[in-house]
Amino acid sequence: MSQPTQPQPAASDRSPRFLVIGAGMSGILAAIRLEEAGFGDYAIYEKADRLGGTWRENTYPGITCDVPSHFYSYSFAPNPEWSHRFSPGAEILAYFEDVARRYGVERRMRYGEEVTRCAFEDGRWRIETSTGRTDAGDFVIAATGVLHHPAYPDIEGLEDFEGALFHSARWDHDVPLADARVGVVGTGSSAIQIVAALVDRVESLTLFQRTAQWIAAVENPAYTDEEKQEFRRRPEAMRAIRDETARAFVDGFANVLVDADSPVLGLIEQNCRENLEQSVADADLRERLRPCYRAACKRLIMSDGFYEAIQRPNAALVTEPIEGVEKSGVRTRDGALHELDVLVLATGFRVDRFVRPMRVTGRGGVVLDDVWQSGPFAYLAIAVPDFPNFFLLNGPNSPVGNFSLIDVAEMQMGYVLQLVEATLAGGASEVDVRAEATQRFDAERREAAKSTIWATGCRSWYLDREGLPTAWPFTLDRFRQEMARPRLEDYAMRSPERPAHGRAPS
Ligand code: N01
């Protein structure tokens, strides 16, 4: 049964209400920025019982972020306590919890409330949650994440397995690992970290590799007490690391991925090749670990321990395709049965879901699922025509790669706030991206996607059903420019039927 909502004052008497969906990195950011901008009327809906998004859900052994911690932090909340250059997942989760508390937004989170329906009706967004709660707001910020819905492989017999079976993003910490024969399916960032962390804790570790990965060597030193003391004393020292890392990642990486002809890509590949040659002693193993596509075509993997781990006496790399799973293990096409106690599916995520399975209905009853039937898209990764006042953070066509998604979300939220403020300042209450602007952007995006490194002939989660990369295919610098100031001519603003909001926030 629906719970009653608070009575709402008439539109003309109130400042706009925002509904933020998701309490992960982007949702926390959205709330903090709303507060700062003077938009105090908002609620954050979160389906789980705590905040943290991907860092709440991914707790597998060895989880770290492969973006340096002083860069993978909010720009306004540097953290002198990071333990390592690449800090572990639990620390990152604790950081988000701490920031949400310190900035006073944690108390605004409504946990255990999955938004199931979100509809634009009579000029307002009305939502309904899994508990039957309803709410209404003027603007929606969908901060629902990208790598969120686990992808389970279509392998015959998975349900027959009698050992413990779980996805890397649903790690079962009750399953004992000491003395266990563990199998891992997949060679993405998750699997590589799991293998490196587990090999010395288990009896045997078998990695089922469908596709080899290029791996860049990185070092992950701990920060010393003296360094942390210096960060506490002089926050500008953290800022310097952040700026330096940001520049290195953007100039040396993000900006070159979008040009498959960039000579820098050759250097990256050379670095990965040298890492393989120098780290793997056995020639046969080395060849089986050697990818047959260009480095950075898939998301580049950074690891300081994988090659060492896979050469341990108790580790095995299986490159024979999986035929099926049986009650005692995995059968490969050569007929071999790999007996296992634990099978981990590090098989990635359904990255085309975004806000779904929530049912989102825009102007005139248009359903987002229908609009996205042939694949999700959004103008500048932010807005979809006919879904006025509905904004996505880290949505479709957003930049992804080996750089900080916090940085990306901060740019996006700054853009959204400018758009909202311009709408209200102009006396309007609705802002809707124009279909022509969206088509123009999408055509340009699709064309540019063809010349990125991601389109050079490998399978990855960056590709859509047609094999075209979906991520932002231009430089990150261009994204920053686009986000710096909305092109208002690409939007229609109006104030149908009800008066505009009385105030334009400063
Ligand atoms: O998932 P993935 P992930 N039979 O999609 C294989 C972020 N992340 O969870 O390559 C056999 O990359 C599949 O094989 P193939 C980061 O953005 C970041 O590892 O398609 N294998 C592939 O090897 C990352 O890119 C961090 O041939 C099957 C693997 O499963 C993203 O999350 C840490 C299969 C899936 O790899 C996703 O990474 C972790 C099948 N039927 C994650 N189906 C850091 O910051 C799939 N595979 C470090």
Side-chain angles (χ1 to χ4, degrees):
M1 202 175 71
S2 290
Q3 293 170 15
T5 45
Q6 296 293 316
Q8 300 279 331
S12 54
D13 301 337
R14 57 177 167 73
S15 55
R17 177 166 173 76
F18 290 75
L19 305 174
V20 179
I21 307 176
M25 172 276 284
S26 312
I28 296 166
L29 168 75
I32 292 172
R33 290 302 198 209
L34 286 172
E35 290 269 1
E36 280 173 1
F39 293 118
D41 186 5
Y42 66 92
I44 309 164
Y45 286 87
E46 167 56 54
K47 69 179 174 186
D49 59 1
R50 65 191 286 204
L51 58 78
T54 199
W55 302 104
R56 177 194 64 227
E57 303 203 343
N58 286 271
T59 60
Y60 59 74
I63 183 167
T64 65
C65 180
D66 60 4
V67 177
S69 300
H70 283 292
F71 186 26
Y72 193 79
S73 310
Y74 295 118
S75 60
F76 51 86
N79 176 22
E81 311 306 329
W82 289 125
S83 66
H84 288 76
R85 181 181 293 162
F86 302 96
S87 298
E91 231 177 274
I92 300 170
L93 178 60
Y95 168 77
F96 285 122
E97 288 176 333
D98 178 56
V99 170
R101 251 190 317 268
R102 275 196 289 131
Y103 283 78
V105 300
E106 209 277 337
R107 64 195 158 80
R108 306 290 283 274
M109 290 173 184
R110 296 178 176 173
Y111 293 119
E113 301 274 6
E114 177 173 2
V115 178
T116 52
R117 184 176 171 274
C118 183
F120 190 70
E121 289 163 358
D122 306 325
R124 295 199 92 198
W125 282 100
R126 295 174 200 278
I127 63 165
E128 193 174 318
T129 73
S130 47
T131 66
R133 182 196 280 266
T134 57
D135 198 347
D138 303 283
F139 295 93
V140 170
I141 295 175
T144 48
V146 191
L147 300 157
H148 180 57
H149 299 281
Y152 288 89
D154 188 14
I155 298 176
E156 218 177 291
L158 268 183
E159 61 289 352
D160 298 335
F161 185 57
E162 287 183 348
L165 174 85
F166 45 83
H167 190 275
S168 56
R170 298 284 180 272
W171 197 271
D172 185 345
H173 291 276
D174 291 336
V175 172
L177 296 172
D179 306 325
R181 297 163 302 173
V182 178
V184 176
V185 181
T187 49
S189 306
S190 303
I192 297 302
Q193 292 185 337
I194 291 168
V195 169
L198 273 195
V199 73
D200 291 334
R201 292 173 49 190
V202 299
E203 182 184 307
S204 68
L205 195 142
T206 307
L207 177 63
F208 296 92
Q209 169 184 290
R210 185 165 71 178
T211 310
Q213 285 275 11
W214 286 112
I215 296 178
V218 287
E219 287 178 355
N220 189 14
Y223 285 113
T224 62
D225 288 342
E226 291 70 32
E227 283 171 313
K228 290 186 203 169
Q229 180 63 25
E230 176 69 357
F231 293 149
R232 277 178 224 123
R233 221 169 41 84
R234 284 196 331 112
E236 61 274 21
M238 287 184 281
R239 164 60 66 183
I241 294 182
R242 182 186 174 87
D243 290 348
E244 194 186 309
T245 319
R247 236 28 272 172
F249 271 65
V250 173
D251 290 346
F253 202 73
N255 285 351
V256 305
L257 297 181
V258 295
D259 173 13
D261 295 330
S262 166
V264 181
L265 286 166
L267 299 176
I268 292 172
E269 187 158 321
Q270 190 184 331
N271 170 300
C272 293
R273 201 177 308 115
E274 282 171 10
N275 188 27
L276 175 65
E277 307 292 350
Q278 289 162 11
S279 310
V280 182
D282 179 78
D284 173 59
L285 180 63
R286 201 163 55 230
E287 288 323 300
R288 292 194 298 135
L289 286 168
R290 191 187 299 278
C292 58
Y293 54 88
R294 292 178 59 189
C297 182
K298 284 169 175 280
R299 182 188 163 111
L300 198 63
I301 296 200
M302 320 254 180
S303 175
D304 59 350
F306 171 71
Y307 283 147
E308 216 180 304
I310 200 69
Q311 294 176 85
R312 289 274 207 278
N314 66 332
L317 177 75
V318 173
T319 49
E320 270 295 318
I322 295 172
E323 184 74 32
V325 172
E326 301 176 10
K327 62 182 182 180
S328 60
V330 172
R331 176 87 61 188
T332 43
R333 200 175 289 167
D334 56 359
L337 177 66
H338 306 268
E339 292 193 36
L340 300 168
D341 304 304
V342 179
L343 183 56
V344 179
L345 304 174
T347 45
F349 300 87
R350 299 177 66 197
V351 293
D352 65 345
R353 299 282 81 201
F354 293 101
V355 298
R356 298 173 287 181
M358 185 199 315
R359 184 176 168 81
V360 186
T361 314
R363 195 192 299 285
V366 53
V367 178
L368 190 61
D369 235 350
D370 295 339
V371 174
W372 281 357
Q373 203 167 27
S374 37
F377 63 89
Y379 168 78
L380 294 180
I382 296 274
V384 182
D386 291 327
F387 294 80
N389 297 7
F390 184 96
F391 307 115
L392 296 136
L393 298 183
N394 283 308
N397 315 135
S398 206
V400 289
N402 297 78
F403 47 82
S404 174
L405 287 195
I406 299 184
D407 193 31
V408 170
E410 285 194 22
M411 291 185 239
Q412 293 175 326
M413 193 57 202
Y415 176 100
V416 168
L417 281 171
Q418 287 189 61
L419 203 51
V420 169
E421 289 178 353
T423 306
L424 301 179
S429 59
E430 287 177 20
V431 57
D432 196 356
V433 66
R434 294 182 191 278
E436 318 82 78
T438 308
Q439 282 154 12
R440 193 182 62 229
F441 166 71
D442 207 50
E444 199 193 343
R445 173 192 75 75
R446 293 175 73 85
E447 195 50 39
K450 294 177 193 159
S451 34
T452 62
I453 185 70
W454 310 309
T456 56
C458 67
R459 169 176 46 203
S460 82
W461 65 264
Y462 288 172
L463 306 181
D464 66 14
R465 274 178 253 161
E466 299 162 28
L468 194 70
T470 57
W472 180 258
F474 314 106
T475 63
L476 204 61
D477 291 330
R478 173 161 166 190
F479 189 73
R480 200 174 295 281
Q481 282 161 15
E482 292 283 4
M483 291 296 105
R485 187 164 296 280
R487 277 186 258 182
L488 297 182
E489 64 274 22
D490 285 350
Y491 290 88
M493 293 179 189
R494 49 186 184 172
S495 190
E497 286 160 31
R498 60 193 175 108
H501 300 294
R503 109 201 204 295
S506 55

